[in-house]
Amino acid sequence: MSGSLVRGRVHPHVREEPLDNALAHDIHWLTTFRSRRASTSPVIYLNDRSLGRPESPMGHDYFKEVVKDIKRAAKVIGLPMDHVARLAHPRAEIRVAVPLVRDDGSIEVFTGYRVQHHNARGPFKGGIRLDPDVEPDMLKAIAAIMSLKCATMDIPWGGSHGAISCDPDKLSKHELERVARRYTYMLLPFIGPKKDIPAPDRGTDAQFMSWI
């Protein structure tokens, strides 16, 4: 069977192996089990500390926290461990160079990231942030959370997240545009409405999205 199951429907834009059809169902089941259990059941969430608020220490293992919550929930609902294992590993972690010709003619090279967690329910979808202190592990965690959020709301998307290691406050509007276009060019084989749908996040806005 081709396509990805979305609560009884097959998403037309994604061709997956048969296991993904069952996994798509189980992701939705995983995120809705609380309504079928007592209020004392484990809940899938990351608190503000885990999500990288100012009090979070650098180097914190954010993705490990997400996986721990998934495993706790999976144990309650009896989710097959082979599916848990797949949710514990992103489909892809992409890292690219993003060179920028500054307004003064100098060249600076930033690092661009895109983590694609899972697309069993549909194309990846997730934000792009501009952050000079971005941590790749945090991007993995946010991408995984997006997979679960979309499943919770029965939206036929998977989860992803991206970033560029630059400080938007130190770039001019023209420099930001060049950064956006170069980042997009480098990721072009991996993003698009039927592959991975970018969205704004910290440091990006509608203008940044229009450049993409």
Side-chain angles (χ1 to χ4, degrees), residues 59-86:
H60 182 75
D61 198 341
Y62 307 99
F63 187 61
K64 184 177 180 180
E65 296 291 333
V66 178
V67 173
K68 182 171 25 175
D69 283 335
I70 290 175
K71 288 181 176 179
R72 290 195 310 131
K75 184 177 180 179
V76 172
I77 67 172
L79 189 70
M81 289 310 296
D82 56 347
H83 289 185
V84 173
R86 296 195 65 181

Side-chain angles (χ1 to χ4, degrees), residues 26-100:
D26 284 340
I27 292 173
H28 181 78
W29 179 259
L30 180 68
T31 58
T32 59
F33 80 97
R34 189 186 182 198
S35 64
R36 293 174 276 104
R37 306 287 299 188
S39 60
T40 55
S41 298
V43 181
I44 299 173
Y45 74 97
L46 285 183
N47 57 31
D48 284 352
R49 182 177 300 277
S50 297
L51 281 173
R53 296 297 187 263
E55 64 269 22
S56 299
M58 292 294 287
H60 182 75
D61 198 341
Y62 307 99
F63 187 61
K64 184 177 180 180
E65 296 291 333
V66 178
V67 173
K68 182 171 25 175
D69 283 335
I70 290 175
K71 288 181 176 179
R72 290 195 310 131
K75 184 177 180 179
V76 172
I77 67 172
L79 189 70
M81 289 310 296
D82 56 347
H83 289 185
V84 173
R86 296 195 65 181
L87 291 172
H89 298 277
R91 280 293 183 90
E93 299 178 56
I94 305 160
R95 181 177 302 198
V96 297
V98 183
L100 167 67

Side-chain angles (χ1 to χ4, degrees), residues 182-194:
R182 175 54 60 172
Y183 176 77
T184 304
Y185 174 79
M186 298 301 292
L187 290 179
L188 204 55
F190 310 103
I191 62 175
K194 297 182 181 180

Side-chain angles (χ1 to χ4, degrees), residues 18-174:
L19 176 59
D20 285 332
N21 293 307
L23 180 58
H25 174 271
D26 284 340
I27 292 173
H28 181 78
W29 179 259
L30 180 68
T31 58
T32 59
F33 80 97
R34 189 186 182 198
S35 64
R36 293 174 276 104
R37 306 287 299 188
S39 60
T40 55
S41 298
V43 181
I44 299 173
Y45 74 97
L46 285 183
N47 57 31
D48 284 352
R49 182 177 300 277
S50 297
L51 281 173
R53 296 297 187 263
E55 64 269 22
S56 299
M58 292 294 287
H60 182 75
D61 198 341
Y62 307 99
F63 187 61
K64 184 177 180 180
E65 296 291 333
V66 178
V67 173
K68 182 171 25 175
D69 283 335
I70 290 175
K71 288 181 176 179
R72 290 195 310 131
K75 184 177 180 179
V76 172
I77 67 172
L79 189 70
M81 289 310 296
D82 56 347
H83 289 185
V84 173
R86 296 195 65 181
L87 291 172
H89 298 277
R91 280 293 183 90
E93 299 178 56
I94 305 160
R95 181 177 302 198
V96 297
V98 183
L100 167 67
V101 179
R102 303 294 299 264
D103 291 342
D104 62 5
S106 63
I107 296 178
E108 190 167 355
V109 180
F110 303 111
T111 302
Y113 304 89
R114 191 69 179 173
V115 176
Q116 298 173 327
H117 178 250
H118 218 286
N119 62 344
R121 291 174 50 84
F124 301 105
K125 188 268 181 188
I128 298 171
R129 62 176 54 195
L130 305 183
D131 184 352
D133 299 317
V134 64
E135 295 182 65
D137 191 73
M138 184 190 296
L139 302 181
K140 290 168 60 177
I142 297 173
I145 291 171
M146 180 59 72
S147 291
L148 301 177
K149 286 165 60 178
C150 289
T152 300
M153 299 304 297
D154 193 23
I155 300 172
W157 290 334
S160 61
H161 205 73
I164 306 171
S165 61
C166 66
D167 186 345
D169 294 332
K170 296 181 179 180
L171 301 178
S172 70
K173 182 176 180 179
H174 294 299

